[in-house]
Amino acid sequence: MQNVSPITAGHAVLETVIGFMGIAWSEKGLTRLCLPERSPEAVERRLFRHAGVSNATEQPKWVVELIASIKAYAAGEDVDFSGVPVDLDGVDDFRLAIYDAARKLSFGETTTYGELAKRAGHSGLARETGAALGANPVPLVIPCHRILAAGGKIGGFSAPGGSATKEKMLAMEGVRVGPPPAAQASFGF
């Protein structure tokens, strides 16, 4: 008789200094990450809109570590999520290439949709890259907030709060988006 491993899928809602966030995982890795909402109920609703999210709440060691890392990130710490296992079953090759290229961006590093497409081996597909990132199931771990529109403009963001949330996340990483401050303000007079 074959040993059956315990079910290792589950979900968690966590409170951070920037709001309630949620994660879901399978035996292969992270399957969902919900960016901040005002209530734990809103996060639960968002998580359970997706098929395959387990009711289980028992956390494997890597999930405990991920939760601590998310809380540290929300508190303004430089966190590297590149080692987090991600379960992207069912995701097409184009999106996998885009997500892989995005995961190589470090804390506070940005690029444009066009440049990310090029890095992923899909030059000229900036719009398609934006659409792929809009479907990203695990924002923050696949840091789609670090991808900007041409000319350094903020671009779109499909998470709650839209572009304002993207701009806040970038600001937490020390990235300022938009026009520079007026010359007088930059010199303090």
Side-chain angles (χ1 to χ4, degrees):
M1 185 168 167
Q2 194 174 4
N3 281 347
V4 178
S5 63
I7 296 174
T8 56
H11 82 282
V13 174
L14 44 144
E15 188 172 5
T16 74
V17 297
I18 59 174
F20 292 93
M21 297 174 72
I23 59 172
W25 61 91
S26 72
E27 63 282 350
K28 295 179 185 176
L30 188 66
T31 58
R32 290 273 160 212
L33 191 148
C34 296
L35 291 174
E37 293 270 10
R38 290 197 171 112
S39 73
E41 297 79 18
V43 173
E44 286 267 335
R45 281 192 301 275
R46 280 190 42 227
L47 279 175
F48 283 102
R49 277 188 216 142
H50 304 283
V53 173
S54 169
N55 281 318
T57 55
E58 187 175 333
Q59 300 171 355
K61 184 177 188 279
W62 72 268
V63 170
V64 172
E65 292 167 358
L66 174 60
I67 289 171
S69 294
I70 291 170
K71 288 181 177 188
Y73 176 87
E77 293 181 35
D78 178 343
V79 177
D80 177 7
F81 292 104
S82 64
V84 174
V86 178
D87 179 353
L88 295 173
D89 278 358
V91 172
D92 63 75
D93 290 342
F94 174 76
R95 287 192 299 159
L96 288 174
I98 296 300
Y99 295 165
D100 183 59
R103 282 194 89 178
K104 291 179 170 84
L105 295 171
S106 59
F107 187 91
E109 180 185 0
T110 62
T111 192
T112 63
Y113 294 105
E115 178 58 29
L116 188 69
K118 184 177 171 185
R119 291 180 190 183
H122 295 283
S123 289
L125 298 180
R127 278 202 173 111
E128 294 83 351
T129 296
L133 293 169
N136 176 9
V138 290
L140 188 58
V141 172
I142 296 174
C144 51
H145 65 284
R146 296 179 183 149
I147 318 304
L148 304 173
K153 295 184 178 101
I154 193 74
F157 201 55
S158 59
S163 294
T165 297
K166 182 176 184 174
E167 197 164 2
K168 287 176 189 173
M169 291 174 74
L170 288 170
M172 288 170 52
E173 296 185 22
V175 176
R176 188 176 186 290
V177 180
Q184 293 87 350
S186 65
F187 292 106
F189 56 85

